[in-house]
């Protein structure tokens, strides 16, 4: 299946599942190394992060914990720039080494807001790991320490990412066909 139609748009396959999983394994190796002897708290940003989190966790062999937060800032294929916290974090992150797990950093506004919010709760450290990063779209400077794929300014779906609610279940990643 090299093309899929979702709502009004056609998408074509660009990154096969095997390549995504191989690259996530490399990220896990870096985190295993960087956080050896620590017990990081991984913080997944729902909804898009779920496949990324699952694949990453399977490849981590250090002690680690996972929790989830839900924010929303996006409708359709154009960011609204409005970030709304939907589900908060119940446990304390004070003194913890936090790794935020995001599906994609686009304008960076979501991550900027999340870093500001979490920063007031006194974590020992806080880093961002994003499956995808679109550097050409960044509107604010956000330091993404771990990014798996750097991609051009194109809208993608699959491996957890959606287009208006659909496409998250696709195991591969697809680019919109203009
Ligand atoms: P930002 O605040 O502009 O960085 O937006 C980040 C959020 O926008 C991500 O968590 C996604 O939900 C959504 N997003 C940005 N680009 C894409 C894309 O290409 N496909 C699907 N969702 C996207």
């Amino acid at each position: 299946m090299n093309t899929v139609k979702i709502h009004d748009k056609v998408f074509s396959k660009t990154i096969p599942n095997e390549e995504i999983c191989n690259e996530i394994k490399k990220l896990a190796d870096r985190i295993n190394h960087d956080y050896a002897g620590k017990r990081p708290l991984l913080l997944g940003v729902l909804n898009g992060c779920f496949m990324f989190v699952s694949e990453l966790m399977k490849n981590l062999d250090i002690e680690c914990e996972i929790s989830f937060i839900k924010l929303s800032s996006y409708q359709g294929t154009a960011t609204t720039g409005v970030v709304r916290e939907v589900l908060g974090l119940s446990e304390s992150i004070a003194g913890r080494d936090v790794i935020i797990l995001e599906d994609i950093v686009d304008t960076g506004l979501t991550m900027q807001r999340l870093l500001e919010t979490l920063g007031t709760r006194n974590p020992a450290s806080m880093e961002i790991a994003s499956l995808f990063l679109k550097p050409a779209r960044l509107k604010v400077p956000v330091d993404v320490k771990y990014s798996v794929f750097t991609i051009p300014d194109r809208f993608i779906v699959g491996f957890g990412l959606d287009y208006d609610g659909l496409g998250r279940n696709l195991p591969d990643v697809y680019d919109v066909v203009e």
Side-chain angles (χ1 to χ4, degrees):
M1 193 169 59
N2 285 321
T3 61
V4 287
K5 186 151 191 284
I6 301 176
H7 298 301
D8 55 333
K9 295 191 189 299
V10 175
F11 292 82
S12 76
K13 192 191 291 186
T14 47
I15 316 178
N17 182 269
E18 192 185 354
E19 184 181 345
I20 300 168
C21 294
N22 285 343
E23 293 303 315
I24 293 175
K25 168 86 175 69
K26 289 182 199 166
L27 171 63
D29 290 342
R30 283 182 69 192
I31 292 176
N32 283 330
H33 174 267
D34 293 354
Y35 288 83
K38 299 181 177 177
R39 187 190 292 175
L41 173 63
L42 307 181
L43 197 55
V45 182
L46 292 171
N47 291 328
C49 74
F50 68 96
M51 280 200 198
F52 175 37
V53 170
S54 164
E55 199 55 39
L56 183 69
M57 287 293 277
K58 285 186 270 182
N59 289 286
L60 291 179
D61 56 23
I62 49 170
E63 280 194 349
C64 58
E65 294 173 44
I66 177 79
S67 191
F68 292 93
I69 194 167
K70 187 165 182 178
L71 303 160
S72 80
S73 71
Y74 219 79
Q75 285 163 3
T77 58
T79 188
T80 61
V82 180
V83 178
R84 192 161 55 94
E85 189 168 336
V86 180
L87 284 179
L89 183 64
S90 49
E91 67 255 60
S92 169
I93 60 166
R96 301 297 308 268
D97 293 302
V98 174
I99 308 175
I100 298 167
L101 301 179
E102 171 71 310
D103 56 353
I104 183 164
V105 174
D106 184 44
T107 62
L109 292 166
T110 306
M111 284 301 99
Q112 185 188 49
R113 165 75 205 286
L114 187 56
L115 289 172
E116 278 168 14
T117 306
L118 298 183
T120 63
R121 301 188 189 194
N122 303 316
S125 69
M126 206 164 36
E127 299 292 354
I128 298 170
S130 184
L131 182 55
F132 296 99
L133 174 67
K134 291 185 198 170
R137 293 266 307 166
L138 274 179
K139 284 189 181 157
V140 287
V142 176
D143 182 16
V144 181
K145 178 164 185 182
Y146 305 105
S147 67
V148 181
F149 292 96
T150 297
I151 60 168
D153 178 11
R154 271 200 294 274
F155 193 82
I156 58 171
V157 294
F159 206 83
L161 287 96
D162 74 311
Y163 169 43
D164 274 350
L166 297 181
R168 294 194 195 275
N169 52 314
L170 295 164
D172 310 294
V173 163
Y174 294 72
D175 272 29
V176 71
V177 178
E178 299 298 345

